[in-house]
Amino acid sequence: MEGLFVILVCQLIGEIVVRTLDLSMPAPALGIVLLLAYLWFADRRAGSEDGAAHTRVSGVADTLLKNLGVLFVPLGVGVMQNYRLIYDYAGTIVIAVMVSTIVTLMVTVGAFLLASRLFGAEGAGDGH
C-alpha cells in the first residue's frame, strides 16, 4: 500500500506543479521524474544498495503494468463515440500521420548522420 501512496503522491505533485506554473508538459511525465528522484534519494539517504525504496514501489508498478490494457478501454469508448467525426476527417488524419512519420524519419536520419560525424563513427561497420 505504501508503494501506491508514493506513486499517487508523485502524480499529485506533478499535477499541482504543472497547473500552478502553467507548464506545457504533461503532468504524468513530471510525476514520473519526481518518482525517479524519490527512489534515488530514498535509497541514497538510507545507504541502501539493494533498492529498498524501489522494492516498495515495484509490486504496485508491476500490477499496474500487467493491467495496462484496462486503461485503454476509455480510449476505445471515445473512438466509438466519435466514429462519425473520425470518418469525416479520415483523409486529414491519414495525411497527418504520413507526413509526421516522414518528418520523424528524416529528423532521425539527420540526427544519426550528425552524431556519426561528430563522434567519428564513419567506417565503424566495416569491421576495422
Side-chain angles (χ1 to χ4, degrees):
M1 202 60 151
E2 182 182 346
L4 181 61
F5 177 75
V6 169
I7 291 172
L8 291 177
V9 166
C10 289
Q11 174 66 28
L12 177 64
I13 293 171
E15 288 285 344
I16 291 170
V17 169
V18 166
R19 289 176 189 241
T20 302
L21 299 178
D22 196 27
L23 299 176
S24 62
M25 70 178 293
L30 182 59
I32 289 173
V33 171
L34 292 172
L35 179 62
L36 178 64
Y38 164 78
L39 292 173
W40 188 77
F41 283 118
D43 285 341
R44 287 277 186 203
R45 184 185 53 176
S48 170
E49 293 299 323
D50 62 350
H54 170 78
T55 304
R56 290 190 297 267
V57 174
S58 67
V60 175
D62 288 341
T63 302
L64 287 173
L65 286 173
K66 286 177 187 172
N67 297 298
L68 193 60
V70 174
L71 300 175
F72 290 105
V73 170
L75 173 68
V77 170
V79 168
M80 294 310 295
Q81 285 180 338
N82 296 306
Y83 74 92
R84 189 73 192 156
L85 187 63
I86 293 170
Y87 177 76
D88 291 342
Y89 291 99
T92 306
I93 293 170
V94 168
I95 291 170
V97 168
M98 290 174 56
V99 169
S100 65
T101 301
I102 291 168
V103 169
T104 300
L105 288 172
M106 290 171 48
V107 169
T108 302
V109 168
F112 175 77
L113 291 174
L114 178 65
S116 66
R117 285 189 188 129
L118 288 175
F119 298 109
E122 296 96 14
D126 20 299
H128 291 77

